[in-house]
Amino acid sequence: MIQFPKNFYWGAATSSYQVEGNNVNADWWPWEIQAKKENSGQACRHYELYEQDFDLVKSLNHNAHRLSIEWSRIEPREGEFSKEALQHYINVIMALRLRGIEPMVTLHHFTNPIWFAASGGWVNSVSVKRFLRYCDFVTRALSPHVHFWFTINEPTVYFSHAYLWGMWPPQAKSFFKTKAVHDHLNKAHIEGYRLIHKIYKELNLRTPSVGIAHHMQAIVGCDQGLKNRLAVAMRVQLYNLEILDHLAGQKALDFIGVNYYSRHLVDVHSWWIGNLLMETCKDNHHPLKKNLLGWDIYPEGLSTVLLDLKKYNLPVIISENGICTTDDNERWEYIQTHLKSVHQAMDQGIYVAGYLYWSLMDNFEWAHGFGPRFGLIGIDYTTQQRTVRESAKKFAQVCKTGILEA
Ligand code: BGC
């Protein structure tokens, strides 16, 4: 039996574009059509059905919920801020508060307004000023009801997928653009962090907790050879720690949000820098069970990445952790084994304040469309019927008692 602390945050996460539906002013919307991808369309119609969804959240004993604000709804055209959209998000936050659920709010989760993308997106240095103007508008209105803020979701995933690998809009494949986006996202976080704190001070509100949701992988070498050891050390620093070193160094993190899914297996055959930084195992060494997208399931890696955070001496929230599968038993096993791993890191001195499963419900998995199902709640996309999965019920017991029967 494993006991988690009394005041632990238990819940699940979503993002606006993946669940709301009809985000016609976001850059992904035209891109899906142009790139001939499955269209996000109505998604889960969560924009209208959020009250009903939060009733389910409540019935599952979650005491926290992570969601994101859709910038393209708040500012559909440059400088034109929608009071109606803002009111919607106030209502959403209040619907959580009314049910005794702590809202955790992300300001940027991969999508941008079309006008923003059209004028250079995050490559343009003006992006930081634009983001701060949006932050200011949203934070002033939501601050009385929100304590936890994630400025930006997974900066490293965003700049690598959208600007380095060319898999997401705007499908750039440019090292220089990637570097610019990296720098602007860092700056946007640091200045966003300061702005949010300043607003809370001005309004005489309790000091907020502001962080990012950072994608972390367990980086493991296929063997202990020198090349692989060097490559692992370089990648742990570059992929996992570099951004945190920078933001923590600027005193711009009150907590670290960790999004953890999988293992990254390193097998390097040349000393060339490109291989050291990117070559992965192609020979199926150390095979593991995989999720539907082919990602290794590697629970022990979660405590490894958490232990790497010790030097920051900051609270950690597991802001995402989940599996896409058609077998719900696998989902429950995934949750259990990862919670055990979290607890092991806590035993070794890492202060973890909460665990949010990804995702509350099946949703639009970006370039993969609606196929991969990550949800605690299943969605029938033709009827919009919600079905609470068995794994969700088992997780609900843990949320209620703080006890994981191991
Ligand atoms: C993202 C989510 C995504 C999930 C599963 C995370 O990288 O924040 O938006 O759905 O992983 O791929």
Side-chain angles (χ1 to χ4, degrees):
M1 187 184 97
I2 293 172
Q3 171 90 58
F4 283 85
K6 278 252 155 340
N7 53 359
F8 203 74
Y9 289 110
W10 292 106
T14 62
S15 89
S16 50
Y17 196 83
Q18 294 178 272
V19 295
E20 285 179 350
N22 284 322
N23 273 310
V24 297
N25 292 314
D27 54 353
W28 270 75
W29 189 271
W31 182 76
E32 286 152 24
I33 300 164
Q34 171 228 315
K36 299 194 171 46
K37 298 282 179 189
E38 190 169 5
N39 200 294
S40 55
Q42 302 273 304
C44 311
R45 284 182 53 200
H46 180 68
Y47 199 79
E48 300 130 80
L49 303 177
Y50 68 91
E51 298 231 40
Q52 162 189 329
D53 290 335
F54 293 163
D55 284 342
L56 290 175
V57 170
K58 174 86 192 149
S59 76
L60 293 171
N61 306 319
H62 298 187
N63 62 8
H65 181 70
R66 177 171 171 235
L67 64 123
S68 75
I69 309 283
E70 185 58 42
W71 182 1
S72 63
R73 287 189 189 268
I74 296 284
E75 193 181 358
R77 276 155 295 279
E78 176 158 24
E80 192 184 309
F81 289 88
S82 163
K83 290 212 174 88
E84 204 186 318
L86 183 66
Q87 188 57 50
H88 168 81
Y89 288 110
I90 296 174
N91 296 346
V92 168
I93 301 293
M94 294 316 287
L96 289 170
R97 283 270 176 234
L98 263 174
R99 289 164 177 79
I101 299 161
E102 182 75 35
M104 299 190 175
V105 176
T106 310
L107 285 159
H108 185 273
H109 196 124
F110 297 157
T111 53
N112 303 293
I114 290 174
W115 64 263
F116 176 89
S119 57
W122 287 99
V123 177
N124 189 336
S125 58
V126 186
S127 56
V128 177
K129 219 173 75 200
R130 290 172 169 155
F131 177 71
L132 292 173
R133 193 175 50 184
Y134 150 71
C135 284
D136 187 274
F137 182 72
V138 171
T139 311
R140 276 181 201 285
L142 298 188
S143 52
H145 318 295
V146 175
H147 177 71
F148 290 99
W149 295 91
F150 295 84
T151 53
I152 295 163
N153 181 68
E154 297 190 345
T156 56
V157 171
Y158 177 71
F159 65 64
S160 58
H161 283 53
Y163 290 92
L164 190 61
W165 312 126
M167 283 151 57
W168 289 355
Q171 289 193 287
K173 283 188 187 171
S174 150
F175 175 76
F176 294 103
K177 286 186 180 170
T178 305
K179 172 77 173 85
V181 174
H182 162 280
D183 293 351
H184 296 146
L185 290 175
N186 274 352
K187 195 159 178 226
H189 168 78
I190 294 166
E191 295 194 10
Y193 173 95
R194 292 181 185 147
L195 174 68
I196 297 170
H197 275 272
K198 184 175 125 231
I199 292 173
Y200 275 68
K201 253 202 193 113
E202 264 173 42
L203 301 177
N204 250 325
L205 296 164
R206 177 165 79 100
T207 311
S209 280
V210 185
I212 58 166
H214 181 40
H215 181 78
M216 296 187 82
Q217 283 183 302
I219 299 172
V220 179
C222 279
D223 60 37
Q224 287 303 308
L226 199 56
K227 277 194 212 87
N228 280 345
R229 274 194 288 146
L230 177 65
V232 168
M234 288 167 81
R235 290 181 214 189
V236 166
Q237 180 54 33
L238 192 67
Y239 298 1
N240 283 351
L241 303 180
E242 185 268 340
I243 193 168
L244 298 176
D245 283 351
H246 184 63
L247 303 183
Q250 293 289 314
K251 302 227 167 323
L253 289 176
D254 299 318
F255 68 89
I256 299 169
V258 171
N259 293 0
Y260 177 85
Y261 289 87
S262 183
R263 175 182 74 167
H264 171 94
L265 199 55
V266 176
D267 201 11
V268 175
H269 295 93
S270 143
W271 289 103
W272 190 63
I273 184 78
N275 293 63
L276 287 170
L277 290 180
M278 283 177 296
E279 189 178 359
T280 51
C281 174
K282 308 273 179 320
D283 299 321
N284 200 27
H285 294 135
H286 316 293
L288 293 173
K289 258 176 122 175
K290 298 184 191 310
N291 77 6
L292 204 94
L293 288 169
W295 308 348
D296 288 343
I297 298 173
Y298 188 61
E300 52 271 53
L302 180 49
S303 49
T304 312
V305 302
L306 291 175
L307 289 168
D308 282 347
L309 303 178
K310 203 164 209 162
K311 61 173 179 170
Y312 302 111
N313 197 20
L314 287 167
V316 174
I317 296 175
I318 310 300
S319 35
E320 289 181 28
N321 175 237
I323 179 172
C324 52
T325 175
T326 47
D327 177 355
D328 192 49
N329 292 319
E330 279 184 359
R331 187 178 337 275
W332 175 233
E333 197 185 323
Y334 186 96
I335 295 173
Q336 279 181 298
T337 49
H338 284 77
L339 279 177
K340 276 188 208 159
S341 194
V342 171
H343 201 268
Q344 268 165 23
M346 293 169 81
D347 275 345
Q348 292 178 62
I350 305 295
Y351 171 35
V352 181
Y355 173 91
L356 307 173
Y357 177 80
W358 181 272
S359 175
L360 176 65
M361 50 189 142
D362 294 340
N363 61 44
F364 179 70
E365 180 51 29
W366 305 113
H368 300 290
F370 289 103
R373 288 176 179 262
F374 279 91
L376 291 172
I377 299 172
I379 303 281
D380 177 331
Y381 292 108
T382 38
T383 61
Q384 288 295 335
Q385 177 85 31
R386 272 76 170 137
T387 305
V388 174
R389 295 197 166 114
E390 283 308 308
S391 56
K393 295 180 191 162
K394 291 176 181 154
F395 180 53
Q397 271 311 104
V398 182
C399 300
K400 186 173 170 186
T401 58
I403 292 171
L404 179 70
E405 303 290 351

